[in-house]
Amino acid sequence: MNFEHILFSIEDGVALLSLNRPDQLNSFNAKMHGEVREALKLVRQSEEARVLLLTGEGRGFCAGQDLSDRNVAPGAEMPDLGESIEKFYNPMIRALRDLPLPVICAVNGVAAGAGANIPLACDLVLAARSASFIQAFCKIGLIPDSGGTWTLPRLVGMARAKALALLGNRLSAEQAEQWGLIYQVVDDANLRDEALKLARHLATQPTYGLALIKRSLNASLNNSFDEQLELERDLQRLAGRSEDYREGVGAFMEKRTPSFKGR
Ligand code: T3D
């Protein structure tokens, strides 16, 4: 698959999408948005992909919007950022969150602006020890987007969310792990291997069941306890009809390793 600003492959059940504009710290222009959209569509349609690993090339993960596309001459009309969010960022965040398979994000370096919030739309976030997260929006007069105003208070609490968003200070990967913003910090040299190891493991697991787990946990953030119990009933019904559940129980009873097909 030929893309200019991303690297994309699907191999042994693992879809790998790497942002690839390293000289601009993988900031997003319209073309990169289009390519990421196309790749996410391919993952969704693929019969083979059972996990997505999102990462970046070079020393940064992603610096958000490419600001050179927003540098407007004095007196000229400013772009409609609402339109940009509607057309580019929101569909990408929804696509990541709604993919019916686990999404791992390996944050390989600085993650700023939208680039700091994209990982938070993924399911498992690993970060290189040298990586950092910056809600850079406030420094240029914007508000956190890409779901940040929703995700941040839910992950780290309102006090820390406000400090991150209003001050735009750099949060180290280790602090992000301690605050519960991300899953795990990994030594820089091991990040790609650790993320791939996790991805390869997940690619052998009951993908349909994992997608239902993801769906139920995402929904829990807005549901009452009773609503969540009802959702668990409905999704367990679906899980219980899957081929993988039958295989899982059969393998347990026969004391052998299950061979899951992801269905
Ligand atoms: O507009 C819309 O559609 C609405 C949606 C907005 C979403 C957003 O993401 S808004 C927020 C945009 N992002 C930022 O404000 C972050 C800007 N970048 C930075 O603050 C810093 O670059 C970092 C803290 C991320 C990293 O700092 P540092 O010192 O490690 O690197 P650097 O020297 O600043 O950057 C390296 C190069 O990347 C540099 O280019 P050069 O001088 O080597 O040719 C720099 O200009 C370029 N770069 C970094 N971020 C961006 C960028 N180029 C374009 N756009 C960027 N966002």
Side-chain angles (χ1 to χ4, degrees):
M1 282 153 267
N2 270 341
F3 292 110
E4 188 182 341
H5 295 323
I6 64 170
L7 304 177
F8 181 68
S9 60
I10 301 179
E11 208 177 308
D12 297 333
V14 178
L16 176 63
L17 195 175
S18 193
L19 306 175
N20 190 24
R21 298 182 75 225
D23 292 344
Q24 293 79 27
L25 297 183
N26 299 325
S27 55
F28 273 87
N29 59 14
K31 178 140 202 213
M32 190 161 97
H33 269 296
E35 293 185 355
V36 169
R37 187 190 310 128
E38 179 61 20
L40 294 179
K41 200 165 106 192
L42 290 171
V43 174
R44 199 173 178 111
Q45 291 169 346
S46 164
E47 304 256 308
E48 193 194 341
R50 290 172 65 180
V51 61
L52 169 65
L53 171 54
L54 174 65
T55 189
E57 297 299 309
R59 73 175 178 90
F61 169 67
C62 174
Q65 172 62 37
D66 186 327
L67 293 176
S68 64
D69 290 348
R70 298 289 180 265
N71 194 11
V72 172
E77 202 181 330
M78 293 300 285
D80 179 348
L81 300 194
E83 194 178 302
S84 164
I85 298 290
E86 180 73 18
K87 187 170 167 196
F88 294 121
Y89 288 93
N90 284 354
M92 171 172 60
I93 295 299
R94 288 194 180 104
L96 286 168
R97 202 173 141 85
D98 295 344
L99 265 186
L101 39 76
V103 180
I104 301 169
C105 186
V107 181
N108 52 296
V110 65
N117 291 331
I118 291 166
L120 309 183
C122 301
D123 302 311
L124 293 167
V125 185
L126 306 185
R129 203 167 294 283
S130 69
S132 55
F133 296 81
I134 309 175
Q135 296 292 325
F137 309 89
C138 59
K139 305 215 167 151
I140 53 171
L142 296 184
I143 69 159
D145 57 29
S146 302
T149 59
W150 191 90
T151 325
L152 284 171
R154 284 169 170 78
L155 289 176
V156 300
M158 192 57 88
R160 283 170 171 166
K162 283 193 177 160
L164 290 171
L166 293 171
L167 301 175
N169 290 338
R170 190 184 286 264
L171 185 73
S172 69
E174 282 175 358
Q175 190 78 77
E177 184 195 278
Q178 281 162 24
W179 283 10
L181 191 73
I182 63 168
Y183 169 48
Q184 201 173 49
V185 174
V186 174
D187 285 339
D188 287 30
N190 299 336
L191 179 71
R192 187 65 77 103
D193 284 350
E194 288 292 325
L196 276 170
K197 195 164 119 194
L198 197 57
R200 288 186 185 121
H201 162 71
L202 286 168
T204 65
Q205 296 304 295
T207 313
Y208 180 65
L210 299 186
L212 295 177
I213 293 174
K214 165 175 173 166
R215 200 168 127 194
S216 59
L217 288 173
N218 283 343
S220 78
L221 296 171
N222 291 330
N223 275 351
S224 68
F225 185 62
D226 274 328
E227 285 167 335
Q228 195 64 16
L229 285 180
E230 284 167 19
L231 183 68
E232 287 179 5
R233 175 202 58 209
D234 294 343
L235 298 189
Q236 196 70 299
R237 179 172 289 134
L238 296 177
R241 289 179 182 146
S242 66
E243 278 180 41
D244 282 341
Y245 171 60
R246 190 181 285 265
E247 166 64 7
V249 175
F252 176 79
M253 296 309 291
E254 292 159 26
K255 300 192 187 305
R256 61 174 171 80
T257 306
S259 170
F260 293 119
K261 300 285 181 283
R263 297 186 289 268

